[in-house]
């Protein structure tokens, strides 16, 4: 919390207003029940952190990991929570506010303090959660290892003759079995559905000859996993194997570009160069990677135009792909962290095209 308040001041902000969601969990360990009642962490350099909470939820807030460092300011139903909060804020200040803050709360504060202004935290402090400490890296590594175990198990099941939804359900069960507390997604894109990068598993029956994209992840001990491998039902054609080889080479090139001081866009450029050189540039239709931590998508992003430099402790995906409309798709994804000398993967399952039944 002290570091966040200091970062806010360095960014020219009067403070940070953090609402329930990943930022609040990250900063305080407090995950309140979903409610329309105002819960707000107020951080400002030189001041003690204050958590504004509904009175009926104060007992839970008192047991949060960060509670000993907080001053709780509670309010009861029937009172104006914005009037309670207003004295904590600079009446003419510009504040960073959580991206997922409710509009009615922000508007309530603006009505109470018309001289204030607000900026989304992703814009104001995009790197707030980007550099992980040793404990966070250990959790991300454990989440990655659990996802790897799930992949190893799913290779043993039968794909042919089963629906995408069945494979997706098995992947979800495996993630939970290997320690995930939450499953965020299980993309199973078979045949032409694999050409849709975020295909939602449907009722299509997987058949012999299908390429199948498997993209899955969630949270373990509060930190994310996210990995993609592409498998083939039976022996692939020469073209399918070639496309997979191109993506594999691109993924390796992206990983090899990871090093301290390199711009985020260099990871994207390295992967994209391989795919473009093979003649598939127009079929790589998304960024090469996204950050990961207490959420599975967060800054930094590996995309052209992002000149922010990589520093040790940043964690993100490297996931190039080729998507041939109406035919098939291929994607290979690992979570990577920046080290003092390069990069280290948190996903270590084989990247060759696996053959399933």
């Amino acid at each position: 919390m002290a570091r966040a308040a200091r970062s806010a001041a360095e960014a020219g902000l009067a403070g940070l207003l953090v609402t329930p969601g990943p930022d609040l969990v990250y900063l305080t360990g407090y995950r309140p029940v979903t409610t329309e009642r105002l819960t707000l962490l107020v951080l400002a350099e030189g001041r003690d952190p204050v958590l504004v909470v509904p009175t009926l939820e104060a007992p839970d807030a008192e047991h949060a990991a960060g509670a000993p460092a907080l001053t709780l300011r509670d309010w009861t139903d029937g009172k104006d929570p914005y009037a309670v909060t207003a004295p904590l804020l600079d009446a003419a200040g510009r504040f960073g506010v959580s991206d997922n803050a409710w509009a009615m709360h922000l508007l309530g504060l603006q009505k109470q303090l018309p001289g204030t202004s607000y900026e989304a935290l992703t814009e104001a402090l995009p790197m707030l959660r980007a550099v992980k400490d040793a404990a966070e890296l250990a959790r991300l590594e454990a989440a990655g290892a659990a996802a790897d175990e799930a992949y190893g198990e799913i290779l043993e099941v039968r794909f042919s003759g089963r629906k995408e939804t069945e494979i997706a359900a098995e992947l979800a069960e495996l993630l939970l079995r290997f320690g995930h507390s939450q499953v965020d997604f299980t993309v199973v894109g078979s045949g032409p559905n694999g050409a849709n990068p975020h295909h939602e598993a449907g009722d299509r029956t997987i058949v012999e000859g299908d390429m199948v994209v498997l993209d899955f992840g969630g949270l373990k001990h509060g930190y994310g996993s996210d990995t993609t491998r592409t498998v083939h039902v039976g022996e692939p054609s020469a073209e399918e194997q070639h496309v997979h080889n191109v993506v594999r080479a691109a993924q390796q090139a992206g990983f090899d570009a990871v090093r301290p001081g390199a711009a985020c866009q260099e990871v994207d450029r390295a992967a994209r160069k391989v795919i473009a050189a093979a003649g598939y540039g127009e079929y790589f239709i998304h960024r090469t990677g996204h950050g990961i931590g207490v959420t599975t998508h967060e800054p930094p992003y590996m995309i052209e135009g992002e000149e922010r430099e990589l520093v040790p402790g940043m964690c993100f995906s490297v996931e190039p792909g080729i998507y041939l409309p109406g035919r098939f798709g291929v994607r290979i994804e690992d979570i990577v962290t920046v080290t003092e000398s390069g990069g280290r993967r948190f996903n270590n399952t084989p990247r060759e095209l696996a053959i399933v039944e």
Side-chain angles (χ1 to χ4, degrees), residues 49-114:
V50 178
L51 182 64
V52 179
V53 294
T55 300
L56 79 168
E57 294 172 13
D60 287 339
E62 290 171 352
H63 288 94
L70 293 167
T71 297
L72 294 185
R73 186 74 60 86
D74 65 321
W75 60 277
T76 57
D77 286 352
K79 291 192 175 180
D80 184 351
Y82 312 113
V84 173
T85 306
L88 304 173
L89 308 184
D90 179 344
R94 183 170 66 93
F95 294 88
V97 62
S98 295
D99 295 4
N100 56 347
W102 285 32
M104 75 174 190
H105 294 324
L106 196 57
L107 293 169
L109 288 172
Q110 285 181 314
K111 184 176 180 180
Q112 192 75 32
L113 297 169

Side-chain angles (χ1 to χ4, degrees), residues 80 108 171 191 246 253 315:
D80 184 351
L171 271 173
V246 171
C315 299

Side-chain angles (χ1 to χ4, degrees), residues 132-181:
K132 275 62 179 179
D133 62 24
E136 292 180 288
L137 292 173
R139 292 189 177 200
L140 283 162
E141 185 171 19
D148 283 358
E149 290 185 276
Y151 175 68
E153 292 282 330
I154 205 68
L155 291 180
E156 301 302 317
V157 310
R158 184 170 185 83
F159 279 66
S160 181
R162 303 179 67 201
K163 294 180 179 180
E164 293 174 340
T165 50
E166 294 179 68
I167 303 299
E170 290 202 31
L171 271 173
E173 290 173 6
L174 287 167
L175 287 172
L176 295 173
R177 185 199 304 174
F178 290 115
H180 281 63
S181 59

Side-chain angles (χ1 to χ4, degrees), residues 239-264:
E239 181 190 20
E240 289 170 327
Q241 184 65 65
H242 173 67
V243 171
H244 191 277
N245 290 345
V246 171
V247 174
R248 183 181 171 199
Q251 206 267 348
Q252 182 64 43
F255 173 74
D256 290 341
V258 176
R259 63 186 185 281
C264 291

Side-chain angles (χ1 to χ4, degrees), residues 34-345:
T34 301
T35 174
E36 77 285 357
R37 295 181 174 94
L38 177 70
T39 296
L40 188 71
L41 173 66
V42 180
L43 298 177
E45 191 174 36
R47 301 182 189 178
D48 292 337
V50 178
L51 182 64
V52 179
V53 294
T55 300
L56 79 168
E57 294 172 13
D60 287 339
E62 290 171 352
H63 288 94
L70 293 167
T71 297
L72 294 185
R73 186 74 60 86
D74 65 321
W75 60 277
T76 57
D77 286 352
K79 291 192 175 180
D80 184 351
Y82 312 113
V84 173
T85 306
L88 304 173
L89 308 184
D90 179 344
R94 183 170 66 93
F95 294 88
V97 62
S98 295
D99 295 4
N100 56 347
W102 285 32
M104 75 174 190
H105 294 324
L106 196 57
L107 293 169
L109 288 172
Q110 285 181 314
K111 184 176 180 180
Q112 192 75 32
L113 297 169
T116 55
S117 59
Y118 305 90
E119 186 173 351
L121 275 184
T122 292
E123 296 296 326
L125 293 177
M127 296 295 107
L128 179 64
R129 306 194 314 254
V131 179
K132 275 62 179 179
D133 62 24
E136 292 180 288
L137 292 173
R139 292 189 177 200
L140 283 162
E141 185 171 19
D148 283 358
E149 290 185 276
Y151 175 68
E153 292 282 330
I154 205 68
L155 291 180
E156 301 302 317
V157 310
R158 184 170 185 83
F159 279 66
S160 181
R162 303 179 67 201
K163 294 180 179 180
E164 293 174 340
T165 50
E166 294 179 68
I167 303 299
E170 290 202 31
L171 271 173
E173 290 173 6
L174 287 167
L175 287 172
L176 295 173
R177 185 199 304 174
F178 290 115
H180 281 63
S181 59
Q182 175 179 312
V183 177
D184 287 340
F185 49 89
T186 51
V187 173
V188 179
S190 64
N193 289 340
N196 176 359
H198 282 172
H199 171 69
E200 186 171 341
D203 289 334
R204 184 182 185 276
T205 298
I206 301 169
V207 298
E208 181 87 11
D210 275 348
M211 194 82 89
V212 185
V213 178
L214 304 172
D215 182 356
F216 51 96
L219 298 181
K220 179 176 181 178
H221 300 313
Y223 281 75
S225 68
D226 186 2
T227 188
T228 307
R229 294 291 185 265
T230 302
V231 302
H232 196 275
V233 185
E235 290 299 320
S237 68
E239 181 190 20
E240 289 170 327
Q241 184 65 65
H242 173 67
V243 171
H244 191 277
N245 290 345
V246 171
V247 174
R248 183 181 171 199
Q251 206 267 348
Q252 182 64 43
F255 173 74
D256 290 341
V258 176
R259 63 186 185 281
C264 291
Q265 65 182 3
E266 294 303 324
V267 178
D268 183 81
R269 286 175 176 176
R272 202 167 298 276
K273 181 179 180 180
V274 172
I275 291 175
Y280 295 99
E282 66 182 293
Y283 303 111
F284 181 12
I285 56 177
H286 55 73
R287 64 196 174 204
T288 293
H290 58 81
I292 190 170
V294 293
T295 58
T296 48
H297 282 207
E298 61 185 46
Y301 297 103
M302 305 303 112
I303 184 66
E304 181 66 33
E306 179 51 84
E307 298 179 350
R308 193 178 309 278
E309 291 187 357
L310 301 178
V311 299
M314 283 183 174
C315 299
F316 48 85
S317 66
V318 178
E319 52 176 307
I322 292 173
Y323 309 94
L324 304 178
R327 301 183 63 205
F328 64 89
V330 175
R331 182 164 66 258
I332 301 173
E333 173 185 17
D334 295 324
I335 297 302
V336 172
T337 185
V338 184
T339 68
E340 295 294 338
S341 59
R344 179 165 67 94
R345 287 181 164 104

